Amino acid sequence: MSSMMLPTIGWAGSINLESFNHDHVEGELLVLWKDSTSNLNAQSAIETKVQEIGAQTVRTFRSEGAKQLRFTSKMSKVELLATAKQLAAREDVVYVEANNIIYLTATPNDPRLSSLWGFKNMRVSDAWVHATGAPDIVVGVIDTGVDYNHPDIAPNYWNNSGETGLDSEGRDKRTNRIDDDKNGYVDDWRGWDFAAGDNDPMDTHSHGTHCAGTIGARGDNGVGVVGVNWEVGIVGLKFMSGASGTTAAAIEAIEYATMMGISVTNNSWGGGGRSETLISAVRKAGEAGHVFVAAAGNDTRNNDSTPTWPANIDLDNVITVAATGSSDQIASFSNWGRRTVHVAAPGVGIISTTPRNSYGPMSGTSMAAPHVAGAVAMIRSQFPELTPKEVRDLLISTSDLVPALATRSQSGGRVNLERAIAPQAP
Ligand code: CA
């Protein structure tokens, strides 16, 4: 159940109380004011109100004009909640929520379990008879960054065509400190770091690079491993520094992906509460045809009864993924949900790329999600006309039914990529 209520004209706003029960950033709130249009007068009126309450705007989100606010004086969590309640009681506020802290959905590794068994179970080699991916399908990895110099990633790494080549004065657009494509980001030629606010999405952990390799480590290049797609566009949308990030930075990454026409994102993170601002960003993404793949979480629990976010966002363009082991059992750590989890994919002892030209095993629904994000990219290369919901329905209907997984997801089984992309599949 949501703690949110729809705003009623002439009445006070609402507060997302649940978001304050999760770890959240000190002295920050996400607030949607009434009349948050792009109209300059309306914006300036809101900025005045922000200053009046002793805060400053860190970000304004594209989807609905909600704002990430930071209070200038130090505030305890109790004081922050009291301030949020006061704001929610105002007639010019729609809603108020905390800026949650988000964590990775990976677990410690067991190298003994490791092999490329996942591709075998998922019939990835059989799928390659039909298709091996396409460089114009772009997958955003919303994570800890991606090592774009890794020899198995670099050949498939995306470049923003609006920020490469030479500008009118003969300077390299990648480094001319000009927003050449006027998208609000200067020199974003290889993605963005939404945590630091700069143009370098290099992985400073290892999680994002591991996810990227499963989606699309270059195939047939005589190096290391291969991803679900031999060819694809990978872009690092870094929002975590170290192993944690914030809801606000994740939202900005999603809105960037929508703006740039990025077809699918992998979201191997969770741990915050329900966020109305995040949900509106994912809804806008879906309206633009974007598929949002989410890890189900690693809490060994039923998401139907205990919601996990963003996995439980109930929109047609969200695909939530549970993790399986090598004999198609549910992974010991994986969350499940007959209603709220859509499909299951390999996520135990998965070998993939790690930074500085290395490879290693990781486990988690974090590793299952990129198998599915990679599958979505390949489906899109084969069947570009499918809507996000049709892509999800296809993955569900072509999964291999497995009795042990019957009640674990809508599919009742494990993804079979060969069946999903066979010419007669949709
Ligand atoms: Ca730009």
Side-chain angles (χ1 to χ4, degrees), residues 51-64:
Q51 285 169 25
E52 281 168 3
I53 61 171
Q56 53 192 216
T57 299
V58 181
R59 288 181 172 92
T60 301
F61 299 107
R62 292 167 186 266
S63 301
E64 288 185 309

Side-chain angles (χ1 to χ4, degrees), residues 160 163 179-183 185-188:
N160 175 5
E163 289 279 3
D179 182 9
D180 294 287
D181 61 354
K182 298 184 172 60
N183 67 351
Y185 295 86
V186 174
D187 296 343
D188 56 320

Side-chain angles (χ1 to χ4, degrees), residues 110-301:
D110 186 346
R112 290 167 302 172
L113 293 173
S114 305
S115 71
L116 283 170
W117 66 266
F119 281 12
K120 183 164 168 282
N121 287 27
M122 229 174 93
R123 301 273 299 279
V124 172
S125 304
D126 300 315
W128 289 336
V129 172
H130 305 296
T132 53
D136 60 322
I137 306 292
V138 183
V139 184
V141 180
I142 299 182
D143 210 286
T144 61
V146 172
D147 180 359
Y148 41 75
N149 293 325
H150 195 295
D152 241 349
I153 300 285
N156 282 345
Y157 199 83
W158 173 83
N159 279 349
N160 175 5
S161 59
E163 289 279 3
T164 50
L166 300 180
D167 68 16
S168 58
E169 293 179 33
R171 296 169 301 189
D172 189 336
K173 289 185 186 174
R174 296 179 300 180
T175 53
N176 64 358
R177 301 187 184 185
I178 292 170
D179 182 9
D180 294 287
D181 61 354
K182 298 184 172 60
N183 67 351
Y185 295 86
V186 174
D187 296 343
D188 56 320
W189 63 280
R190 59 187 170 193
W192 197 256
D193 179 344
F194 299 93
D198 64 41
N199 74 340
D200 190 359
M202 175 52 77
D203 191 356
T204 46
H205 184 270
S206 61
H207 189 270
T209 301
H210 198 279
C211 291
T214 297
I215 294 162
R218 185 69 157 210
D220 203 25
N221 65 342
V223 172
V225 294
V226 58
V228 171
N229 297 273
W230 296 11
E231 285 189 277
V232 68
I234 298 280
V235 54
L237 304 178
K238 176 174 179 172
F239 85 107
M240 292 193 165
S241 47
S244 69
T246 67
T247 301
I251 293 164
E252 191 183 352
I254 294 160
E255 292 182 336
Y256 179 89
T258 305
M259 172 176 67
M260 299 304 286
I262 292 167
S263 183
V264 48
T265 49
N266 186 74
N267 298 276
S268 290
W269 46 271
R274 177 189 169 98
S275 162
E276 298 306 316
T277 324
L278 176 61
I279 291 169
S280 70
V282 176
R283 182 182 295 112
K284 286 276 181 189
E287 288 165 6
H290 179 93
V291 176
F292 182 91
V293 177
N298 298 341
D299 316 290
T300 318
R301 70 186 187 203

Side-chain angles (χ1 to χ4, degrees), residues 319-399:
I319 304 179
T320 299
V321 187
T324 53
S326 59
S327 49
D328 284 338
Q329 78 280 22
I330 185 121
S332 58
F333 50 77
S334 181
N335 292 1
W336 66 92
R338 191 171 204 164
R339 182 172 53 79
T340 54
V341 174
H342 302 100
V343 294
V348 179
I350 302 300
I351 295 276
S352 185
T353 46
T354 46
R356 295 171 298 283
N357 193 15
S358 62
Y359 299 85
M362 290 191 193
S363 297
T365 52
S366 275
M367 282 64 243
H371 281 87
V372 171
V376 170
M378 192 176 283
I379 289 169
R380 288 230 140 144
S381 74
Q382 284 293 85
F383 311 118
E385 70 285 2
L386 296 186
T387 65
K389 181 171 189 304
E390 287 168 342
V391 169
R392 185 173 77 184
D393 290 346
L394 179 61
L395 282 167
I396 292 171
S397 66
T398 56
S399 285

